[in-house]
Each structure stands twice: as structure tokens, then as C-alpha cells.
Amino acid sequence: MSTSPERYTDRFERYADRHPRVVDAVLVLVVTACAIVGSGLTRPGAAPPQRDTTVLVVMGVSCLALFKHRSHPRTVTVVNAVCIVVVTALEYVLTPLLLAPVMAAMYWLTTHTGLRTARFYSVTTAAALMAASAVFDPTYASSPVPRSIGYCFWLLLPLAAGSMTRLRRAYLASVQARAEHAERTREEEARRRATEERMRIARELHDVVAHHLALANAQAGTASHFALTNPQQTKKILTSLTDTTSSALRELKATLGVLRHSSAPAAAPLEPSPGLARLPELVSACASAGLAVTVTTTGEFRPLTSGVDLTAFRIVQEALTNVTKHAAADSARVHLTYQESRLLITVTNDGPSGSTVAAAAPVRGFGIMGMRERAHTAGGELRAGPRPGGGFEVAASLPLPTATPEAPSEAADNPTGEKA
């Protein structure tokens, strides 16, 4: 099975990242071997025996300096440039083997500092080599252009290799950064959706539990009040109390059903989300708790999407629940206004002017906050507060669909002007 050069390069880079000192030692040994071999290539009669030790010492210094290329790349390049100029002054032939240390220094200088800095050092070193060759090499004058081109080629070669390595590292870093960003974005999106789902379930549970428990409490209190004086009315209220608790259990089961991950084919289907079509049931339940609710509708009926339909019903339900629990009133009014692009919902109750504190009590709970969150989620708005003459008012504005709705509402069948 063949392996592509890219895979070999990736493996070498990963190994170099894990063991940088080992890689540096191997490369310095290879460069030292090249320099030793290159020092034996001299012109006939130009290298007396006493100069062999000198050139080995100079090349040894240049090779040992390469160990500091990570921390001091410029200093290492300067040391190697000076050493190669000294070797040139000793009248040695500047072969690629002798140039290996300074070429390695140029390569590492390019990878560590960039092409602009390395270009300056490369041009300076080439100029110094040409000057030293012109002074100490008697054969340089016979072919200065080819020799100069050769110096420039060998010194510019590591710059090209270093630039390619630098670009490759930058590309890999950008790819890794994009992958990490995408991973963080996916995690943040997952956390955001989980938070939104928890908030939605919390609002549903609050609306279901708070509404039905408030009605059940009011119905139980009313039944207790009529227990001795009106047994027939008491029996009717207790029957309504049973219906209220049964409805609470059904809605609670439907709400918690989204938390289940059962794939059993025999699983029971969830109950559809309530909408304005169930306003008569809500009015009847409030009546059994002693709250008379009047529902009026103005404007031409417009079908609602399932989300807006559910939001509208929950807002009316929570507003009437707050009236049942907090307001000193025995009646409430629900008014639905269908405009061209908005559905206006107003729930008001009358109360004595001195009951402002009692009327404002829901603001400290989660009811109004949940209604406002629902309205904002559906693209609408909601305001709630005490009325100037007493009582409390909840007003919401929800958008109406401009295209084919998801699920039409039957709110037009609600009683208009009916008082329970």
C-alpha cells in the first residue's frame, strides 16, 4: 500500500512537534556531515594542511549554532554568514555542501520570522560572499556572473522552502481554527436550543399546573361555601372540579410527552395543542370557580398558525388564572380584535381602587413574565398593569399570518358577548 508524500509530511511534522530536540539533533548532524565532506573539496594547492583544522572549527561553530535556531534565529543566521565568509577567505570552494549550514539557518529564519526578514539576511549574505570571493578567490574574476548567480540561487532556495512551510503551517492552523470554531458554534447552538426547550417546557408546565390548580382551589372553596346551603350547586361544582383535574392531567401528560424518547409503535399519540377554539371550555371552568367571563370578538375572523393560536390561548388562560388567584373581582372580560395583520387580546377585570397592591401581585411571579416571553417568541408584544380606575389589564398583540396558515383556528365559533 503506497503512502502519499503529504501523509509522510504530516507524520514528520507531528513527530517534530512532539520531539523537537531529537529532530534538531538529527538535522544538525546531517548538516555537519555535509560541511565535513564539503571542506575536503578545495582547489589544488589552495588548502595547506594547517588550514584543515581551522575550517573544521569554523564549520563546527556554524553547525553547533544551529541548535539555537528556535530562540535566536537572527543570531544563528549572522553566525553562519560570518563563518561562511571566513571559509571563503580561506579559499575553499563554496559548494552546496559547505553552504548547507547557512542554508539551514536561512530556512529556519524564514519559518520563524517571515520572508521579508529572511530576504534581507539572504541578500546581505550573498553580497558578503561575492565580496569575499572577489577579494580572496583569484578564479572569481574569470566568471563572476555565474558564480554570483550560483550564490544567490543556493541562498534563495531555503527562502522558498521556508515560505512554503510557513504557508502550510498557516493553512493548517486556519483549518484547525475553523474546525474548532465550528465545533464551538455547534455546541453553543445545541446549548441554546436546549435552553429554549427547557424554557418552553417550563412555561407550559407553569401554565398548565398554575391554571388548573388555581381553578381547582377556587372550585373547592366555592363547593365548601355551598355545601350546606345548596347541595345541588355543590354537586355541580364538584363535578366541574373532577373535569378540571382530569384536564390538568391530560395537558400535563401531553407536555411531559416531549421529554420521552420512546420509539414504541404502540405509544399513544399526544393530544393536540390547545387554541382559541377551547375558550368556551376555559370560560366554563372559570364560571365553576365563581368567575364570570365575558368574551367578545370584533373584526373579521382570521385563521391563526398553531404557534400563535397556542400563544393566544395561553395568554388568556394565564390572565384569567391571575384574576382568579389575585384580583378581588368576580368577573372578567376577554376581548379579541382581528386587524389586518395583528390579533389584539385584552383581558380586564374590575376591582376597587384600593386593591392596587393585590392586583399588581402577579408581577412578582412567573405568570406575566411567561406571557411576555410567549408573546415575544411569537413575534408580538404584551403589556400588563393596574388600570387607573381599579382592577388589572393584560393586553397582547400577536401577528397574523400573511400566507397559508399551518393550522386554522376555530376561534370564530367562540361565543360573542356570552357571560358565564
Side-chain angles (χ1 to χ4, degrees), residues 306-327:
S306 58
V308 174
D309 200 12
L310 173 62
T311 300
F313 177 79
R314 290 302 190 197
I315 289 176
V316 174
Q317 182 187 56
E318 181 61 27
L320 294 178
T321 301
N322 288 339
V323 173
T324 305
K325 293 193 298 184
H326 303 289

Side-chain angles (χ1 to χ4, degrees), residues 1-9 11:
M1 181 177 179
S2 61
T3 305
S4 61
E6 289 79 6
R7 295 184 59 183
Y8 281 121
T9 303
R11 291 179 181 178

Side-chain angles (χ1 to χ4, degrees), residues 202-288:
R203 286 195 298 266
E204 289 290 331
L205 290 176
H206 174 271
D207 292 344
V208 171
V209 174
H211 169 69
H212 289 93
L213 285 182
L215 286 182
N217 180 66
Q219 289 169 340
T222 306
S224 176
H225 178 72
F226 288 111
L228 299 178
T229 60
N230 194 342
Q232 189 68 23
Q233 182 69 14
T234 301
K235 182 179 179 181
K236 181 179 179 181
I237 294 175
L238 291 179
T239 302
S240 299
L241 177 60
T242 303
D243 295 338
T244 299
T245 55
S246 299
S247 177
L249 291 175
R250 286 195 304 271
E251 290 198 30
L252 187 62
K253 181 179 178 181
T255 302
L256 295 179
V258 298
L259 300 178
R260 299 171 182 167
H261 298 280
S262 174
S263 59
L270 299 178
E271 183 178 343
S273 300
L276 291 179
R278 292 181 55 179
L279 272 185
E281 300 178 19
L282 182 61
V283 170
S284 177
C286 291
S288 65

Side-chain angles (χ1 to χ4, degrees), residues 83-409:
C83 291
I84 199 64
V85 170
V86 171
V87 171
T88 304
L90 294 176
E91 300 183 3
Y92 278 81
V93 178
L94 292 182
T95 62
L97 295 176
L98 275 180
L99 291 174
V102 72
M103 291 172 63
M106 292 291 179
Y107 170 80
W108 281 321
L109 180 67
T110 306
T111 58
H112 293 323
T113 63
L115 183 60
R116 178 177 299 180
T117 302
R119 188 186 298 116
F120 170 77
Y121 280 83
S122 179
V123 171
T124 304
T125 303
L129 287 179
M130 286 185 284
S133 298
V135 174
F136 299 101
D137 187 358
T139 63
Y140 180 79
S142 60
S143 56
V145 175
R147 299 279 291 276
S148 299
I149 293 177
Y151 295 157
C152 293
F153 173 78
W154 292 112
L155 292 179
L156 292 178
L157 184 62
L159 269 66
S163 298
M164 293 178 60
T165 301
R166 189 178 178 87
L167 291 175
R168 176 181 173 81
R169 291 176 180 175
Y171 170 75
L172 295 178
S174 65
V175 170
Q176 183 177 1
R178 287 197 298 269
E180 293 176 354
H181 176 72
E183 184 66 23
R184 287 195 302 269
T185 303
R186 285 194 296 268
E187 293 176 356
E188 292 173 358
E189 180 67 14
R191 285 194 296 267
R192 184 185 65 81
R193 291 185 178 181
T195 301
E196 291 178 353
E197 185 65 15
R198 286 196 298 269
M199 293 297 296
R200 188 190 67 81
I201 295 174
R203 286 195 298 266
E204 289 290 331
L205 290 176
H206 174 271
D207 292 344
V208 171
V209 174
H211 169 69
H212 289 93
L213 285 182
L215 286 182
N217 180 66
Q219 289 169 340
T222 306
S224 176
H225 178 72
F226 288 111
L228 299 178
T229 60
N230 194 342
Q232 189 68 23
Q233 182 69 14
T234 301
K235 182 179 179 181
K236 181 179 179 181
I237 294 175
L238 291 179
T239 302
S240 299
L241 177 60
T242 303
D243 295 338
T244 299
T245 55
S246 299
S247 177
L249 291 175
R250 286 195 304 271
E251 290 198 30
L252 187 62
K253 181 179 178 181
T255 302
L256 295 179
V258 298
L259 300 178
R260 299 171 182 167
H261 298 280
S262 174
S263 59
L270 299 178
E271 183 178 343
S273 300
L276 291 179
R278 292 181 55 179
L279 272 185
E281 300 178 19
L282 182 61
V283 170
S284 177
C286 291
S288 65
L291 178 66
V293 181
T294 301
V295 180
T296 58
T297 304
T298 59
E300 183 181 356
F301 166 73
R302 297 281 302 279
L304 307 177
T305 61
S306 58
V308 174
D309 200 12
L310 173 62
T311 300
F313 177 79
R314 290 302 190 197
I315 289 176
V316 174
Q317 182 187 56
E318 181 61 27
L320 294 178
T321 301
N322 288 339
V323 173
T324 305
K325 293 193 298 184
H326 303 289
D330 57 0
S331 64
R333 295 181 297 278
V334 178
H335 186 69
L336 306 177
T337 303
Y338 288 90
Q339 296 181 348
E340 182 178 356
S341 60
R342 310 291 288 184
L343 170 63
L344 304 182
I345 304 173
T346 305
V347 182
T348 59
N349 66 275
D350 296 325
S353 58
S355 63
T356 305
V357 177
V363 180
R364 295 193 296 268
F366 295 99
I368 292 181
M369 181 177 66
M371 288 190 291
R372 186 172 288 111
E373 288 178 353
R374 283 185 179 277
H376 290 170
T377 301
E381 54 186 14
L382 181 140
R383 59 177 179 83
R387 301 176 65 194
F392 204 80
E393 180 180 82
V394 175
S397 174
L398 302 177
L400 291 175
T402 57
T404 303
E406 298 176 11
S409 172

